[in-house]
Amino acid sequence: MAALQTVAVLEGLPAIRGWQEALYCDLHEHPELSHQEAETSRKVAERLRHSGFEVHDGIGGTGVVGVLRNGSGPTVLLRADMDALPVRESTGLSYSSAVQAIDADGAEVPVMHACGHDVHVAALLGAADLLAAGAGHWQGTLVALFQPAEETADGARSMVDDGLQDLLPPVDVALAQHVLAMPAGHIGTRSGPVLSAADSVRVIVYGRGAHGSMPQASVDPVVLAAMIVIRLQAIVSREVAPGESAVLTVGSIAAGSKSNVIPDRAVLQMNLRTYSEQTRATMISAIRRIVAAECQASGSPRDPEFEFFDRFPLTDNDDATTTRVHEAFTTHFGDRCQELPQQSASEDFSDIPAALGVPYTYWGLGGVDPATYQDAVARGRVDQDIPVNHSPNFAPVLQPTLDAGTEALVVAALAWLA
Ligand code: ZN
Ligand code: ZN
């Protein structure tokens, strides 16, 4: 039944391609940094109103929610993220970004949709329009949610904290997608943990400064920091169970300014990725323990300081919800729907279903020209030659990426609403 209604709703797709592709190129050419998505938000609200949605904007800053009530039935929430990254685009596309903006620290930075959130916005606006125009083929309530600031991990939370729940009827299920370096036109679903939880930690360790020629008068924080970096490597290899995946990267280490001065502190910034709450807790406590013990071993004069930031929740797809979506995708996409490998990237989408207390699933959408992808596979060069998200060369092919992203949202929503 749902399949017939899906076909009927998707009959409108050729008619929206014109404005949808133009809108995508416009978004790509005019990206906005996290929490600065004012123009994107305005374009989204305008398009939703045009499609007949009740629109709430300015939620958690620039967040937008469109609600379409269409009789009794379940409520499905579809989510897209809107922000771009401080990356200088080098795709060479005719609709490349030349935008510069001022970031949260006051620095002027180039801006690019290097994560494909412009695909998510255009696909969701297209799906929302198709479902509104095809409202005779389904019943229930559709919520189209556009969140700010996914890249800084706090956009979903900002909408929740701004009273998102009060704007919505009780939601039954939440769905979201991300364009990835897979063949365009393909979809990947996965039950259980699909994206990692991420935590960033800034650690300050203290020493005692002295002349570089008189180390006996110092507690050298550079040596201390070096010991910490080495000792931290044993967490994943010795303290995490072999069947569990985890990553710990020390991405930044800073101390001192001159060759003959022993500084009085060192700052380490590290990032960890985990797929279970237990492993996450194990790793955080191991980091605290090792840093404290190394400070003690060095005779550090002050306790170390820990600051946690950019924390992303685990994305743990609900089994029943994922199965329902996967079956609908298989009916529609055939063998273009596959299992998505577990991803080491992270997302804050799940903060929304967690706050609403509803199940969710999150799937991957291909964005790479299929011939280019096959060529890279044949040469064994996929990881080297296919630009991934956040790369200055990340450039999803316009089609069939946009069509597939739009179809996926319609198909998944109708698995509840048809
Ligand atoms: Zn990203
Ligand atoms: Zn992203």
Side-chain angles (χ1 to χ4, degrees), residues 85 114-115 117 150-151 178 346 389-390:
L85 286 158
C115 203
H117 298 182
E150 184 282 324
E151 297 292 354
H178 207 299
S346 307
N389 304 65
H390 292 203

Side-chain angles (χ1 to χ4, degrees), residues 6-21 122-123 125-131 133-134 332-333 336 399-408 410-411:
T6 301
V7 169
V9 170
L10 287 175
E11 271 171 11
L13 186 56
I16 68 162
R17 263 190 209 117
W19 69 253
Q20 196 188 22
E21 291 182 0
L125 286 172
D129 192 67
L130 290 176
L131 285 161
H332 181 77
F333 291 103
R336 287 191 289 141
Q399 295 296 4
T401 307
L402 217 44
D403 275 3
T406 308
E407 289 167 37
V410 168
V411 168

Side-chain angles (χ1 to χ4, degrees), residues 86-162:
V87 172
R88 189 180 308 282
E89 177 155 4
S90 53
T91 61
L93 292 167
S94 60
Y95 47 92
S96 284
S97 162
V99 170
Q100 298 272 127
I102 305 298
D103 72 9
D105 298 325
E108 187 174 356
V109 294
V111 190
M112 173 192 177
H113 266 299
C115 203
H117 298 182
D118 45 356
V119 173
H120 310 162
V121 171
L124 180 48
L125 286 172
D129 192 67
L130 290 176
L131 285 161
H137 300 287
W138 58 275
Q139 267 201 318
T141 300
L142 178 67
V143 176
L145 182 148
F146 299 79
Q147 74 156 80
E150 184 282 324
E151 297 292 354
T152 50
D154 56 354
R157 169 76 23 211
S158 71
M159 291 186 77
V160 167
D161 292 346
D162 199 17

Side-chain angles (χ1 to χ4, degrees), residues 7 68 71 103-104 139 169 177 183 188 200 239 302 312 315 319 364 383:
V7 169
L68 188 67
D103 72 9
Q139 267 201 318
Q177 63 183 354
S200 285
E239 299 192 44
R302 261 175 79 180
F312 288 87
T315 305
D319 275 338
D383 289 339

Side-chain angles (χ1 to χ4, degrees), residues 79 176-178 194-195 315 317 347 349 360-364:
R79 170 274 201 180
Q177 63 183 354
H178 207 299
V194 61
L195 304 177
T315 305
N317 282 340
E347 257 281 351
F349 159 64
Y360 63 88
T361 197
Y362 179 94
W363 64 84

